[in-house]
Amino acid sequence: MRVLGIETSCDETAAAVVENGRDVRSSIILSQIAMHRPYGGVVPEIACRSHVEALPGVIQDALDTAQVGWDDLDALAVTSGPGLASSLLTGVSAARGLALSTGLPLLPVNHLHGHLASLFLGDDVPSPEEICPALILLVSGGHSALVWMESWGSFRLLGQTVDDAAGEAFDKAARLLGLSYPGGPAIEKAAAGGDPNAVRFPDGRLKATSLPGGIDPRYCFSYSGLKTSLRTHLEAHPEAAATGLADTAASFQEAVVRSLVGRLTLAAKELKPRSLGCVGGVAKNQVLRAGLDALCAKRGMPLYLAPMAYCTDNAAMIAAAAGLGSTEAKAAFDVEPSMLLSAQPQCGGV
Ligand code: KG4
Ligand code: ZN
């Protein structure tokens, strides 16, 4: 099964050709980071217009790099949500047009299923059967979720953020610290050599006892208090963003990692999965990777991390999810634009 994947849910215009849900023949990503940097975050109007301009070239590049033509493909896959409505519409409209003109089947893929599929991309990676049931931490700019993967396509949402996503917390903190967008890499760099125990920031444990959808508050995350705490600290100690930057950044990063590893530790202890995994842009963070390594070493469990190239948004993971048999991919593609424009709850598709 050779799939051309298209991803335009946020600020990356991406296309990729993937075989059998794991062999990446090409993965083209045109990042818009430089365009959004002056605003400290993604501007939807700029993102959508840039996708319109870039997508045809990115798709052609993906085909050329993979050395395949339309006749060599078995299916098209496109991110159908969640994401920015106008950005999603760009990819979905292009994919529908291509499906009509080529006669190829078009498979809609949930963006979060795509992130989960990134675990299986590459040469030396296991198959879903080898790692499931697995406990997966999905941490990106738009989502923070703890997902139980019983088998490929059988996912259960255990917990999620009740406000900001972990990546979003990094991005907002970077702005407060005068660092550039995206905040995650900027804070990780600024934190090098800093003391992670210099400031004790809160890790957002939830006290609520009931949340909708059977979600366990003990497996949830909250970053609004951490952000406020950083702001208050900077108001009281202006030098913390200057001479004290390394210590402040390291302490902030430590609080985010503590919150993520803490929830994962609790869930691993209680639910006893066969393995642990971590996907999404924040999975690039080396302090988080080290924390997860330590947790798995202690519990004697295998740890599977998305390859660095497929942590942040890409189309290879979308083609992979379709190739592995996304739950939605089984249905005929029939997403009307009005569905895409309706509010997408955080992590609604998992
Ligand atoms: O997965 P992704 O491309 O976006 C969504 O699907 O939302 O992840 C982007 C996010 C950004 O918030 C960025 O700050 C964060 O991932 N990120 C990091 C690192 N690299 C990217 N966060 C922490 N440490 C990093 N090294
Ligand atoms: Zn993403």
Side-chain angles (χ1 to χ4, degrees), residues 4-307:
L4 171 76
I6 296 173
E7 153 66 35
T8 63
S9 68
C10 192
D11 62 338
E12 266 91 21
T13 314
V17 176
V18 175
E19 287 175 2
N20 303 321
R22 61 188 307 153
D23 301 327
V24 184
R25 295 280 304 270
S26 66
S27 176
I28 310 296
I29 306 168
L30 197 78
S31 170
Q32 303 174 359
I33 282 177
M35 291 180 221
H36 300 287
R37 188 166 281 139
Y39 306 95
V42 178
V43 182
E45 180 68 16
I46 294 178
C48 158
R49 284 173 186 269
S50 311
H51 288 314
V52 172
E53 278 170 26
L55 192 53
V58 167
I59 291 173
Q60 192 57 54
D61 211 358
L63 293 173
D64 293 347
T65 306
Q67 297 183 313
V68 296
W70 295 107
D71 291 344
D72 302 313
L73 298 173
D74 297 303
L76 304 171
V78 65
T79 305
S80 59
L84 297 173
S86 50
S87 289
L88 287 165
L89 274 175
T90 312
V92 168
S93 306
R96 292 189 97 172
L98 289 170
L100 282 173
S101 62
T102 59
L104 287 165
L106 177 52
L107 311 174
V109 173
N110 180 298
H111 183 77
L112 305 180
H113 295 184
H115 274 299
L116 296 174
S118 68
L119 281 177
F120 309 111
L121 284 171
D123 294 331
D124 284 330
V125 292
S127 64
E129 296 75 42
E130 287 169 285
I131 76 163
C132 288
L135 184 60
I136 315 289
L137 179 65
L138 193 166
V139 269
S140 70
H143 305 274
S144 293
L146 212 47
V147 179
W148 183 262
M149 194 193 288
E150 185 61 36
S151 60
W152 179 257
S154 172
F155 313 124
R156 187 156 56 91
L157 181 63
L158 301 171
Q160 65 178 339
T161 179
V162 295
D163 39 56
D164 291 348
E168 194 180 356
F170 272 112
D171 295 338
K172 288 179 176 171
R175 229 181 306 173
L176 290 173
L177 290 167
L179 299 171
S180 65
Y181 173 82
I187 288 185
E188 182 168 10
K189 196 166 161 215
D195 175 6
N197 300 311
V199 191
R200 181 78 181 175
F201 289 119
D203 70 359
R205 223 163 291 231
L206 281 200
K207 291 195 183 79
T209 48
S210 71
L211 284 169
I215 291 171
D216 190 331
R218 297 170 311 131
Y219 298 156
C220 287
F221 313 93
S222 168
Y223 295 107
S224 58
L226 171 60
K227 190 181 54 192
T228 307
S229 173
L230 174 64
R231 182 182 293 124
T232 320
H233 181 75
L234 291 174
E235 280 163 9
H237 309 275
E239 75 288 354
T243 50
L245 178 62
D247 283 353
T248 313
S251 301
F252 178 87
Q253 178 174 250
E254 205 279 326
V256 176
V257 169
R258 185 169 12 106
S259 81
L260 297 172
V261 176
R263 308 301 187 277
L264 206 56
T265 305
L266 179 67
K269 209 168 130 195
E270 295 184 344
L271 304 172
K272 303 189 174 36
R274 183 168 167 199
S275 54
L276 291 189
C278 185
V279 299
V282 182
K284 278 189 161 175
N285 189 283
Q286 295 303 326
V287 177
L288 174 60
R289 287 184 167 237
L292 297 174
D293 249 341
L295 163 62
C296 286
K298 202 167 155 199
R299 294 196 63 82
M301 288 173 99
L303 173 66
Y304 299 101
L305 299 167

